[in-house]
Every structure is written in C-alpha cells, then in structure tokens.
Amino acid sequence: MEFRTVVDITAPDFFIEPEHRILTVGSCFADHLGRKFRDEAFVADVNPYGVMYNPASILHTVERYGEAVDVAIFTLGTNHVYREKATGEIVDNCQKRPQALFQEEVLSVDVCRDYLLKAIQVLRNRNSHTKIIITVSPIRYAKYGYHGSQLSKAALLLAVDSLMRDGDIGKAGGVYYFPAYEIVNDELRDYRFYAPDMLHPSQQAVDYIWERFVAIVFSDSTREYLREWKPIKEALAHRPFNPDSDAYRSFLARTMEQKKCLSDKYPHLKSINQ
C-alpha cells in the first residue's frame, strides 16, 4: 500500500553546475534554499537586501543587485504589497513605520507575471544565459485568513503558469518552476512537517525538499561534487574538545590539504571561506 502521493517533478531543460554563481531572492523559503547552497560551498548570494515576499520586491532586488549570475531562484510568498501613500511607490520593507503611512494592495495575476518577466529581463541583460528557477513558498499567511492565503498562493501559481506558457521568455527556455509548494501541501500533508507555529515548514521538510531539488535540478557532476565535498564539510564543522592539541592541529591540516586538492578540481572552492 501507498500511504502518500509523491509529486511528479518535471525535469528542467538545464542543470546547476558546481561553478555556477547563484542568487536566491524571495520569502523566508529563499533563505532556507540559499543556506543549503552555502552549506554546500556554492558561490551564492542570498536575499542580499533582505527577505522579499512579492514579485514587485523581487524585481527591486534584481534591479539593485547589479551583478551577473548563472542561476537565479525566485521564491514567491504573496501577491500582497504595501504602497507608501506619500510617494505612490511599493515598498519592500515598511521599516516599522506607522501602518497609516501605507496602503495594502493585492497584485493581479497579470501584474505578478509582468514583474517576474521584468526581473528575468534585467538578469538576462547582464548575462543572456542566466537560468531562472521559480518556486512558490509553502509558508501560509495566517494574517490573511487561510482562505485569503490560498487565494494569494493561487494568484502566484497562475502568474508563473502564465509566464511559462505565454511569455516569450518562458517559451525560449531556461525558466523552470520547481514545485516546493506542492511537495509540502500534496506530498508531505502532515503537521509533523511543520515548525511549532504550524505555518512554516520544519527543518525536516526543508531537507526533504532540498533532496528532491538536488535530484532533479543538479547535474551528475554536481551531485558528484556534493559527495566529494561532504567529508570535508563535516570535518570543517567538527568542534574539538581541545582545539590547541597537536592531534587537532594535524587533523585540521589534513582537512585543509584535502580542501586544497578538491579546489584544484572545483576552482570555485578557492573563493569560499569555511
């Protein structure tokens, strides 16, 4: 008997390689994915200007970031935005200013799609080969009410679907939707995979989503890199009882030599401080 449904994930038309420079932008879930990349010693910038929940704020980050990347991961949290009344501009963070200064708005499906399209165009003006991965965060927004939260996620899902089916960039390839939202809601489907607030996915759920992500989006050579990097990562994370002992110094020297040898095969490691 099968007691759960496993989400069938379509493979992308590209793969992430060890040397790729990664940018993750979006909700708290973008932070989770970004930390995973950093733990595995990828060159990754993670929400460089803070957490961004909506497509407009994701565009703002991409415009401000100013650097070329190989892969960008957008994690959409909500289609709700806050517009400053004095300027008429959508703000990325209210900075704890009085709520009366802002007006909450709900972006339509088409507007969400257009913001994503502009963000992709900005990135590809810097590097025409940039690959885009889009996810919808599984984190629910209780403040909207659970029906309102579902409506918000539905708008984001429809916007991504419209981009993938109808947008010129979507048709050109190199844009991929990874179903993190569906994995949590349709495959895991149990509160034991949530944090104590019952809204955010637990670390176990994040780890499982990462495993599915690695299996489908990473190339064979990247998965081999992960296998080779794992023992070095674990050695570097070791916290000795006596860091001044000769035994630990010898252990650390061997580990650093192993990292140096691996860096000859994967040059990006030379820029990673672990």
Side-chain angles (χ1 to χ4, degrees):
M1 290 184 180
E2 291 290 340
F3 292 100
R4 67 186 180 113
T5 54
V6 177
V7 173
D8 184 27
I9 304 178
T10 303
D13 59 3
F14 62 89
F15 294 105
I16 292 177
E17 301 295 344
E19 71 276 8
H20 279 168
R21 178 163 186 173
I22 312 293
L23 171 67
T24 68
V25 185
S27 74
C28 302
F29 194 70
D31 279 347
H32 289 312
L33 288 179
R35 283 197 294 270
K36 288 290 189 182
F37 277 106
R38 285 183 171 175
D39 286 346
E40 301 298 350
F42 285 84
V43 179
D45 285 330
V46 182
N47 272 335
Y49 308 111
V51 174
M52 301 292 163
Y53 295 98
N54 62 78
S57 294
I58 287 175
L59 171 60
H60 296 163
T61 290
V62 168
E63 290 175 328
R64 184 179 175 190
Y65 182 67
E67 297 183 31
V69 296
D70 298 297
V71 179
I73 301 173
F74 300 156
T75 299
L76 310 175
T78 178
N79 67 333
H80 289 234
V81 300
Y82 289 89
R83 193 180 297 275
E84 188 172 14
K85 293 178 181 178
T87 64
E89 299 293 326
I90 293 174
V91 298
D92 303 325
N93 190 316
C94 295
Q95 299 176 330
K96 298 183 179 180
R97 288 180 290 170
Q99 187 174 355
L101 299 177
F102 305 94
Q103 177 179 329
E104 184 175 6
E105 295 181 11
V106 178
L107 301 180
S108 70
V109 170
D110 288 344
V111 170
C112 288
R113 180 200 61 214
D114 290 345
Y115 276 123
L116 293 172
L117 192 61
K118 289 176 184 176
I120 294 170
Q121 289 170 335
V122 169
L123 287 170
R124 289 190 169 169
N125 284 338
R126 298 174 191 146
N127 175 9
S128 60
H129 300 294
T130 296
K131 310 303 181 185
I132 311 296
I133 298 172
I134 304 176
T135 69
V136 171
S137 170
I139 298 169
R140 296 179 297 159
Y141 289 85
K143 66 179 180 180
Y144 302 158
Y146 295 116
H147 179 63
S149 179
Q150 289 286 67
L151 291 176
S152 177
K153 301 294 185 182
L156 297 173
L157 292 166
L158 287 169
V160 176
D161 185 67
S162 176
L163 176 70
M164 300 292 291
R165 289 188 299 104
D166 301 325
D168 291 338
I169 288 183
K171 291 177 181 178
V175 180
Y176 175 66
Y177 175 72
F178 179 79
Y181 178 82
E182 291 81 354
I183 289 172
V184 170
N185 287 279
D186 295 319
E187 184 171 337
L188 300 183
R189 291 182 66 89
D190 194 294
Y191 278 114
R192 73 179 185 271
F193 296 113
Y194 282 81
D197 66 1
M198 297 293 114
L199 299 174
H200 292 73
S202 68
Q203 187 59 52
Q204 186 180 35
V206 172
D207 290 344
Y208 179 73
I209 293 169
W210 175 255
E211 288 180 5
R212 300 293 307 273
F213 185 85
V214 167
I216 199 74
V217 181
F218 283 17
S219 68
D220 290 343
S221 60
T222 307
R223 290 193 292 272
E224 176 62 23
Y225 158 71
L226 293 181
R227 287 190 288 271
E228 294 180 89
W229 168 246
K230 181 179 179 181
I232 299 174
K233 177 182 71 173
E234 292 174 347
L236 290 170
H238 176 66
R239 294 295 175 262
F241 178 74
N242 183 2
D244 296 322
S245 67
D246 290 340
Y248 179 68
R249 289 196 185 100
S250 178
F251 168 81
L252 188 58
R254 288 196 305 271
T255 300
M256 295 309 293
E257 181 61 28
Q258 290 169 350
K259 181 185 176 185
K260 181 179 180 299
C261 291
L262 195 63
S263 297
D264 293 335
K265 183 176 180 180
Y266 303 106
H268 79 277
L269 279 173
K270 296 175 182 177
S271 64
I272 302 293
N273 293 320
Q274 290 284 337

